[in-house]
Amino acid sequence: MVHGEEDPRGALVRPYAVTKGRTEPAHEIAIEALMLTMRRGIEASRYAGRDQRLIANLCTDRPQSLAEIAASLRVPLGVARVLVADMITDGLLTLHEPVEAEDSLLERVLIGLRNL
């Protein structure tokens, strides 16, 4: 391995390890859904794992979409979806689902961006 390069196998193993092998979230979360850290989440994040702490800090000052969380953590969207769903189930994050519309995904994303 060349000095300064990361082992590419780490990128393949880490997401699987982060979700403990799970690929399906407890419930579906739209890509444009917004999450905000609850008071309990701020307190619990001090003792949480790295990813939960990062998500809690990211969503403390302003709501973040699932897509923004995945990009900030540099993990696949499915991994972020599992982590966020766990935090919602544990009462650490509050979920603000987009208004249901029979629009395409792109139209839903545009609606979500306008609502920011």
Side-chain angles (χ1 to χ4, degrees), residues 30-70:
I31 190 172
E32 72 275 16
L34 298 175
M35 273 57 67
L36 188 62
T37 304
M38 300 176 71
R39 180 178 301 260
R40 182 173 183 265
I42 295 168
E43 294 165 5
S45 71
R46 295 182 210 151
Y47 309 105
R50 176 189 172 274
D51 294 303
Q52 282 192 343
R53 189 170 45 253
L54 290 172
I55 293 170
N57 290 337
L58 187 65
C59 300
T60 296
D61 295 328
R62 71 178 188 93
Q64 298 287 314
S65 72
L66 183 63
E68 291 171 309
I69 292 169

Coordinates of all heavy atoms in Angstrom, one line a residue, residues 30-70:
A30 N -38.5 9.0 3.7 CA -38.3 9.6 2.4 C -36.9 10.3 2.4 O -36.5 10.8 3.4 CB -39.4 10.6 2.1
I31 N -36.3 10.4 1.2 CA -35.0 11.0 1.0 C -35.0 12.5 1.4 O -34.0 13.0 1.9 CB -34.5 10.8 -0.4 CG1 -33.0 11.2 -0.5 CG2 -35.3 11.5 -1.4 CD1 -32.4 10.8 -1.8
E32 N -36.2 13.1 1.2 CA -36.2 14.5 1.5 C -36.8 14.8 2.9 O -37.0 16.0 3.3 CB -37.0 15.3 0.4 CG -38.5 15.0 0.4 CD -38.9 13.7 -0.3 OE1 -38.1 12.9 -0.6 OE2 -40.1 13.6 -0.6
A33 N -37.2 13.8 3.7 CA -37.7 14.0 5.0 C -36.7 14.7 5.9 O -35.5 14.5 5.7 CB -38.1 12.6 5.6
L34 N -37.1 15.5 6.8 CA -36.3 16.3 7.6 C -36.2 15.7 9.0 O -37.3 15.3 9.6 CB -36.7 17.8 7.7 CG -36.7 18.5 6.3 CD1 -37.3 19.9 6.5 CD2 -35.3 18.6 5.8
M35 N -35.0 15.7 9.6 CA -34.8 15.2 11.0 C -34.3 16.4 11.8 O -33.5 17.2 11.4 CB -33.8 14.1 11.0 CG -34.4 12.7 10.8 SD -35.3 12.4 9.3 CE -34.1 12.5 8.0
L36 N -34.7 16.4 13.1 CA -34.2 17.4 14.0 C -34.0 16.6 15.3 O -34.8 15.8 15.8 CB -35.3 18.5 14.2 CG -34.9 19.7 15.1 CD1 -33.7 20.4 14.4 CD2 -36.1 20.6 15.3
T37 N -32.8 17.0 16.0 CA -32.5 16.3 17.2 C -33.3 16.8 18.3 O -33.5 18.0 18.5 CB -31.0 16.6 17.5 OG1 -30.2 16.1 16.4 CG2 -30.5 15.8 18.8
M38 N -33.8 15.9 19.1 CA -34.7 16.2 20.3 C -33.7 16.4 21.5 O -32.6 16.0 21.4 CB -35.6 15.1 20.5 CG -36.6 14.8 19.4 SD -37.7 13.4 19.6 CE -38.7 14.1 20.9
R39 N -34.2 17.0 22.5 CA -33.4 17.3 23.7 C -32.8 16.0 24.2 O -31.6 16.0 24.6 CB -34.3 18.0 24.8 CG -33.5 18.3 26.0 CD -34.3 19.0 27.1 NE -34.9 20.2 26.5 CZ -34.4 21.4 26.8 NH1 -33.3 21.5 27.6 NH2 -34.9 22.5 26.3
R40 N -33.6 15.0 24.2 CA -33.1 13.7 24.7 C -31.9 13.2 23.8 O -31.0 12.6 24.3 CB -34.2 12.6 24.7 CG -33.8 11.3 25.2 CD -35.0 10.4 25.3 NE -34.7 9.1 25.8 CZ -34.4 8.0 25.1 NH1 -34.5 8.1 23.8 NH2 -34.1 6.9 25.6
G41 N -32.0 13.5 22.5 CA -31.0 13.1 21.6 C -29.7 13.8 21.8 O -28.6 13.3 21.6
I42 N -29.8 15.1 22.2 CA -28.6 15.9 22.5 C -27.9 15.3 23.7 O -26.6 15.1 23.7 CB -29.0 17.4 22.7 CG1 -29.5 18.0 21.4 CG2 -27.8 18.2 23.2 CD1 -30.2 19.3 21.6
E43 N -28.6 15.0 24.7 CA -28.0 14.4 25.9 C -27.5 13.0 25.7 O -26.4 12.7 26.1 CB -29.1 14.4 27.0 CG -29.5 15.8 27.5 CD -30.8 15.8 28.3 OE1 -31.3 14.7 28.6 OE2 -31.3 16.9 28.6
A44 N -28.2 12.2 25.0 CA -27.8 10.8 24.7 C -26.6 10.8 23.7 O -25.8 9.8 23.8 CB -28.9 10.0 24.1
S45 N -26.4 11.8 22.9 CA -25.3 11.8 21.9 C -24.0 11.8 22.6 O -23.0 11.3 22.0 CB -25.5 12.9 20.9 OG -25.2 14.2 21.5
R46 N -23.9 12.3 23.8 CA -22.6 12.3 24.5 C -22.0 10.9 24.7 O -20.8 10.7 24.8 CB -22.7 13.0 25.8 CG -23.1 14.4 25.7 CD -23.1 15.1 27.1 NE -24.1 16.2 27.0 CZ -24.8 16.6 28.0 NH1 -24.8 16.0 29.2 NH2 -25.7 17.6 27.8
Y47 N -23.0 9.9 24.8 CA -22.6 8.5 25.1 C -22.8 7.6 24.0 O -22.6 6.4 24.1 CB -23.4 8.0 26.3 CG -23.3 9.0 27.5 CD1 -24.4 9.8 27.8 CD2 -22.2 9.1 28.2 CE1 -24.4 10.7 28.8 CE2 -22.1 10.0 29.3 CZ -23.2 10.8 29.6 OH -23.1 11.7 30.6
A48 N -23.2 8.2 22.8 CA -23.5 7.4 21.6 C -22.3 7.0 20.9 O -21.2 7.6 21.1 CB -24.5 8.1 20.8
G49 N -22.4 6.2 19.9 CA -21.3 5.9 19.0 C -21.1 7.0 18.1 O -21.8 8.0 18.0
R50 N -20.0 6.9 17.3 CA -19.5 8.0 16.4 C -20.6 8.5 15.5 O -20.9 9.7 15.4 CB -18.3 7.5 15.6 CG -17.8 8.5 14.6 CD -16.7 7.9 13.7 NE -16.4 8.8 12.6 CZ -17.1 8.8 11.5 NH1 -18.1 8.0 11.3 NH2 -16.7 9.7 10.5
D51 N -21.3 7.6 14.8 CA -22.3 8.0 13.8 C -23.5 8.6 14.4 O -24.0 9.6 13.9 CB -22.7 6.8 12.9 CG -21.5 6.3 12.1 OD1 -20.9 7.1 11.3 OD2 -21.1 5.1 12.2
Q52 N -24.0 8.1 15.5 CA -25.1 8.7 16.1 C -24.8 10.1 16.7 O -25.6 11.0 16.6 CB -25.7 7.8 17.3 CG -26.5 6.7 16.7 CD -27.2 6.0 17.9 OE1 -26.9 6.1 19.0 NE2 -28.2 5.2 17.5
R53 N -23.6 10.2 17.2 CA -23.1 11.5 17.7 C -23.1 12.5 16.6 O -23.5 13.7 16.7 CB -21.8 11.4 18.4 CG -21.3 12.6 19.1 CD -20.1 12.4 20.0 NE -19.0 11.7 19.4 CZ -18.7 10.4 19.7 NH1 -19.4 9.7 20.6 NH2 -17.7 9.8 19.1
L54 N -22.5 12.1 15.4 CA -22.4 13.0 14.3 C -23.8 13.4 13.8 O -24.1 14.6 13.5 CB -21.7 12.4 13.1 CG -20.2 12.2 13.4 CD1 -19.5 11.4 12.3 CD2 -19.5 13.6 13.5
I55 N -24.7 12.5 13.7 CA -26.1 12.8 13.2 C -26.8 13.7 14.2 O -27.4 14.7 13.8 CB -26.9 11.5 13.1 CG1 -26.4 10.7 11.9 CG2 -28.4 11.8 12.8 CD1 -26.9 9.2 11.8
A56 N -26.7 13.4 15.5 CA -27.3 14.3 16.5 C -26.8 15.7 16.4 O -27.5 16.7 16.5 CB -27.1 13.7 17.9
N57 N -25.4 15.9 16.3 CA -24.9 17.2 16.2 C -25.3 17.9 14.9 O -25.5 19.1 14.9 CB -23.3 17.1 16.2 CG -22.8 16.8 17.6 OD1 -23.5 16.9 18.6 ND2 -21.7 16.2 17.7
L58 N -25.3 17.2 13.8 CA -25.7 17.7 12.5 C -27.1 18.3 12.5 O -27.4 19.3 11.9 CB -25.6 16.6 11.4 CG -25.7 17.0 10.0 CD1 -24.6 18.0 9.6 CD2 -25.7 15.8 9.1
C59 N -28.0 17.6 13.2 CA -29.5 17.9 13.2 C -29.9 18.8 14.4 O -31.1 19.0 14.7 CB -30.3 16.7 13.2 SG -30.0 15.6 11.7
T60 N -28.9 19.3 15.2 CA -29.2 20.1 16.4 C -29.7 21.5 16.0 O -30.7 22.0 16.5 CB -28.0 20.1 17.3 OG1 -27.8 18.8 17.7 CG2 -28.3 21.0 18.5
D61 N -28.9 22.2 15.2 CA -29.2 23.6 14.9 C -30.3 23.8 13.9 O -31.0 24.8 13.9 CB -27.9 24.3 14.5 CG -26.9 24.4 15.7 OD1 -27.4 24.4 16.8 OD2 -25.7 24.4 15.4
R62 N -30.4 22.9 12.9 CA -31.4 23.1 11.9 C -31.7 21.7 11.3 O -30.9 20.8 11.3 CB -31.0 24.0 10.8 CG -29.9 23.5 9.9 CD -29.6 24.6 8.8 NE -28.7 24.0 7.8 CZ -29.1 23.4 6.7 NH1 -30.4 23.3 6.4 NH2 -28.2 22.9 5.8
P63 N -33.0 21.5 10.9 CA -33.3 20.2 10.4 C -32.5 19.8 9.1 O -32.1 20.7 8.4 CB -34.8 20.4 9.9 CG -35.3 21.6 10.6 CD -34.1 22.5 10.9
Q64 N -32.2 18.5 9.0 CA -31.4 18.0 7.9 C -32.2 16.9 7.2 O -32.9 16.1 7.9 CB -30.1 17.4 8.4 CG -29.2 18.4 9.1 CD -28.5 19.4 8.1 OE1 -28.0 19.0 7.1 NE2 -28.6 20.7 8.5
S65 N -32.1 16.9 5.9 CA -32.8 15.8 5.2 C -31.9 14.5 5.3 O -30.7 14.5 5.6 CB -32.9 16.2 3.7 OG -31.7 16.1 3.0
L66 N -32.6 13.4 5.0 CA -31.9 12.1 5.0 C -30.7 12.2 4.0 O -29.6 11.7 4.3 CB -32.8 11.0 4.6 CG -32.3 9.6 4.6 CD1 -31.8 9.2 6.0 CD2 -33.3 8.6 4.1
A67 N -30.9 12.8 2.8 CA -29.8 12.9 1.8 C -28.7 13.7 2.4 O -27.5 13.3 2.2 CB -30.4 13.6 0.6
E68 N -28.9 14.8 3.1 CA -27.9 15.6 3.7 C -27.1 14.8 4.7 O -25.8 14.9 4.8 CB -28.4 16.9 4.3 CG -29.0 17.9 3.3 CD -29.7 19.0 3.9 OE1 -30.6 18.8 4.7 OE2 -29.4 20.2 3.6
I69 N -27.8 14.1 5.5 CA -27.1 13.3 6.6 C -26.2 12.2 5.9 O -25.1 12.1 6.3 CB -28.2 12.6 7.5 CG1 -28.9 13.7 8.3 CG2 -27.5 11.6 8.4 CD1 -30.1 13.2 9.0
A70 N -26.7 11.5 4.9 CA -25.9 10.5 4.2 C -24.6 11.2 3.6 O -23.5 10.6 3.7 CB -26.7 9.8 3.2

